[in-house]
C-alpha cells in the first residue's frame, strides 16, 4: 500500500524539490496534506513534511464547529482560527491569530465575478499597511477540486501552490485527499495552510 508520508528510511531518498526549506530560505517548503483527522470520527487535515514529521493538524470535534476551524501545530498549539460568516452568496471568512478571535488578521471571500473566472478567492489583510508597502492581498486561482491552485500576492508573485501528489516509486497517484502544498520563501506556511482550509470551505465537501 502506498504511504502518505515517508518513513525514516524513505526520507533519505526525498527528491531535492521535496526537501524542507534551507536556512537561507531560498528553497520552497513542500508539505504533504492529507484530508484526514488524527482523531477517530472527526473531519480535518493532517500535514507532514518530507521526512514524515507532523507539521500541522486540523480537527473538527463536532458538526457545529464547521463554521469555526482551528489550525494547530504538531503539539496541538493553536496557530490560526478560521471563522465563516454566512451571508448567502457573499459569505466571507475571517482568519484570527491563535484562538482568541478578538481581532481578525485576514478577510477572505469567494470570487463570484464571472469576468474573473480564473480567480477562485481573494484574501485581504486587515492589519495596518506595512512600512515596506501597501496592504497584503492574495489571489487564488486554478481548481481546488482538481488540486491545482496557485496563490499570488499583491505584486503578482507566486507564493504558494497546490498540486497533486504521486508516490515516489512507480508514479502511483494518490487520491484527491492527499496532495502537495508548495510554500515559497516569501510566504508563511501556516497562512498557506489556512488558504487550503478556506478553499475546502468554499469548494470542498464542507462548503454545503
Amino acid at each position: 500500500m502506498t504511504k502518505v508520508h515517508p518513513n525514516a528510511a524513505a526520507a533519505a531518498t526525498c527528491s531535492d524539490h521535496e526537501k524542507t526549506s534551507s536556512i537561507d530560505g531560498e528553497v520552497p517548503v513542500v508539505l504533504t496534506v492529507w484530508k484526514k483527522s488524527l482523531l477517530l470520527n472527526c473531519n480535518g487535515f493532517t500535514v507532514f513534511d518530507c521526512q514524515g514529521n507532523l507539521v500541522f493538524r486540523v480537527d473538527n470535534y463536532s458538526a457545529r464547529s464547521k463554521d469555526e476551524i482551528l489550525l494547530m501545530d504538531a503539539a496541538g498549539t493553536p496557530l490560526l482560527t478560521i471563522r465563516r460568516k454566512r451571508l448567502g452568496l457573499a459569505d466571507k471568512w475571517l482568519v484570527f491569530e491563535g484562538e482568541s478571535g478578538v481581532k481578525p488578521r485576514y478577510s477572505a471571500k469567494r470570487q463570484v465575478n464571472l469576468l474573473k473566472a480564473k480567480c477562485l478567492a481573494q484574501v485581504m489583510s486587515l492589519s495596518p499597511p506595512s512600512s515596506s508597502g501597501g496592504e497584503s492581498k492574495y489571489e487564488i486561482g486554478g481548481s481546488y477540486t482538481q488540486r491545482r491552485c496557485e496563490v499570488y500576492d499583491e505584486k503578482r508573485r507566486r507564493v504558494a501552490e497546490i498540486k497533486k501528489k504521486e508516490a515516489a516509486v512507480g508514479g502511483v497517484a494518490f487520491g484527491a485527499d492527499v496532495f502537495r502544498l508548495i510554500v515559497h520563501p516569501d510566504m508563511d506556511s501556516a497562512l498557506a495552510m489556512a488558504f487550503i482550509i478556506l478553499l475546502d470551505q468554499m469548494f470542498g465537501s464542507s462548503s454545503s
Side-chain angles (χ1 to χ4, degrees):
M1 179 178 178
T2 303
K3 291 186 177 181
V4 172
H5 61 87
N7 55 26
T13 64
C14 288
S15 58
D16 290 339
H17 75 279
E18 287 191 331
K19 292 181 179 178
T20 52
S21 178
S22 60
I23 296 177
D24 58 12
E26 294 181 354
V27 179
V29 174
V30 181
L31 303 173
T32 294
V33 180
W34 189 12
K35 193 178 176 183
K36 181 178 176 64
S37 170
L38 289 175
L39 302 179
L40 293 176
N41 301 320
C42 288
N43 297 318
F45 290 93
T46 306
V47 185
F48 303 96
D49 63 14
C50 178
Q51 285 75 35
N53 301 311
L54 180 64
V55 181
F56 302 120
R57 57 184 292 184
V58 175
D59 301 304
N60 290 348
Y61 295 99
S62 62
R64 60 185 176 86
S65 68
K66 288 183 178 180
D67 286 344
E68 181 171 304
I69 298 178
L70 188 64
L71 173 65
M72 300 175 287
D73 64 12
T77 303
L79 300 176
L80 298 170
T81 298
I82 294 91
R83 288 182 179 174
R84 181 177 184 175
K85 299 188 69 174
R86 294 183 180 271
L87 304 169
L89 291 177
D91 281 6
K92 71 176 182 179
W93 288 258
L94 298 175
V95 181
F96 297 84
E97 188 82 37
E99 58 178 338
S100 64
V102 176
K103 187 177 181 180
R105 287 184 55 193
Y106 295 91
S107 174
K109 63 179 181 179
R110 178 174 177 169
Q111 181 59 253
V112 295
N113 187 350
L114 297 179
L115 297 178
K116 299 187 69 175
K118 293 183 179 180
C119 175
L120 296 177
Q122 291 181 332
V123 182
M124 180 78 69
S125 171
L126 298 178
S127 303
S130 64
S131 58
S132 60
E135 59 191 1
S136 298
K137 181 179 180 181
Y138 300 96
E139 186 172 289
I140 308 173
S143 172
Y144 177 70
T145 55
Q146 297 180 21
R147 303 300 189 257
R148 178 178 48 80
C149 297
E150 294 182 338
V151 180
Y152 295 92
D153 65 9
E154 68 278 357
K155 297 180 180 179
R156 293 301 298 174
R157 296 177 300 181
R158 187 172 56 190
V159 293
E161 302 171 71
I162 299 172
K163 293 186 176 182
K164 292 181 179 180
K165 182 179 177 66
E166 293 185 351
V169 179
V172 179
F174 289 95
D177 286 348
V178 180
F179 51 97
R180 291 191 296 156
L181 171 61
I182 304 171
V183 185
H184 294 275
D186 292 329
M187 185 68 179
D188 177 71
S189 295
L191 182 58
M193 185 58 209
F195 289 173
I196 287 183
I197 297 172
L198 290 168
L199 289 172
D200 195 68
Q201 285 284 289
M202 296 174 184
F203 304 100
S205 58
S206 59
S207 62
S208 59

